[in-house]
Amino acid sequence: PETDATPSMYSARTIRLAMLCFILLLCSTIIFVFYHHRSQQILLCQNRELRSKDNLFEAIAGNAPGVIYKCDTDSPYEMHYISSKIKKVCGYDPSIFLKKGKSMYYDLVHPDDRTSLKNAINGALSSNKPFEYEYRIICNDGKERWMYEKGAKLPEERTMVGFILDITDRKNEEE
């Protein structure tokens, strides 16, 4: 009788072990599906919040009186962002300044003002202070316009942010 009980004990143990493995696998799958679904919900929520913040920033930038930008602190000051107002100021589409990471805004600065602008920016940034400067640019139509720029280095980054205002009318009144 002992020999007959042993095979059935092994088969009962095997069935119990298989059932235990199945239950563990089922529980693991349920837990995985739950957390995967939850993480997808969190990502969707974060994406909605990010889009909302992007829309808010674009609305603010679009209503600001001047051009808002973010660029590298090193020459040639590669642009990461420039608001759409740049088209109204100089006649160039904002995408031109961002193509292939090349900044051509610095190239618009009047040749007589480039060195002093670069020195003012570099001097302020090296001492971690904001900078302000008035200079001329040459627009798409060949006309000169006066700009007032104020910017500052972002902490912990090699970028700066700032704004540029068209002060041509004020400069013409002064003359």
Side-chain angles (χ1 to χ4, degrees):
E2 289 181 22
T3 57
D4 290 338
T6 308
S8 67
M9 284 179 52
Y10 284 133
S11 66
R13 281 188 187 160
T14 305
I15 291 172
R16 282 189 207 124
L17 185 60
M19 288 177 62
L20 182 62
C21 288
F22 175 75
I23 290 170
L24 288 175
L25 182 63
L26 182 63
C27 289
S28 298
T29 303
I30 291 170
I31 291 170
F32 172 79
V33 168
F34 171 78
Y35 281 109
H36 178 72
H37 179 69
R38 182 69 184 127
S39 66
Q40 291 297 317
Q41 288 178 325
I42 291 169
L43 284 174
L44 289 172
C45 184
Q46 289 173 338
N47 284 339
R48 277 192 298 273
E49 288 175 18
L50 191 57
R51 273 194 303 277
S52 175
K53 288 179 182 182
D54 282 347
N55 292 338
L56 174 65
F57 179 77
E58 285 298 327
I60 291 169
N63 288 305
V67 177
I68 297 172
Y69 68 88
K70 179 182 179 185
C71 68
D72 288 342
T73 55
D74 301 321
S75 184
Y77 308 110
E78 183 179 315
M79 286 286 178
H80 298 271
Y81 173 84
I82 192 160
S83 63
S84 60
K85 290 275 173 99
I86 192 68
K87 183 161 182 133
K88 185 177 180 184
V89 170
C90 68
Y92 290 101
D93 193 79
S95 64
I96 290 173
F97 297 97
L98 303 172
K99 280 188 179 173
K100 297 180 184 170
K102 295 202 176 203
S103 166
M104 71 176 252
Y105 182 79
Y106 185 72
D107 296 334
L108 299 181
V109 175
H110 192 283
D112 295 342
D113 297 340
R114 285 182 189 161
T115 303
S116 55
L117 173 62
K118 194 174 192 177
N119 291 340
I121 291 171
N122 290 337
L125 293 178
S126 66
S127 60
N128 287 322
K129 293 184 180 175
F131 64 90
E132 294 181 58
Y133 203 77
E134 293 181 2
Y135 57 91
R136 296 164 291 169
I137 63 168
I138 301 171
C139 297
N140 193 17
D141 60 6
K143 294 180 181 176
E144 285 184 15
R145 299 197 66 78
W146 278 94
M147 301 293 125
Y148 167 78
E149 183 174 348
K150 184 171 185 172
K153 182 179 179 184
L154 289 175
E156 308 296 322
E157 290 188 36
R158 296 183 58 105
T159 58
M160 61 182 170
V161 294
F163 67 91
I164 302 166
L165 292 175
D166 184 345
I167 58 168
T168 304
D169 294 339
R170 189 192 85 197
K171 284 291 195 177
N172 290 338
E173 289 175 7
E174 290 175 1
E175 291 177 356

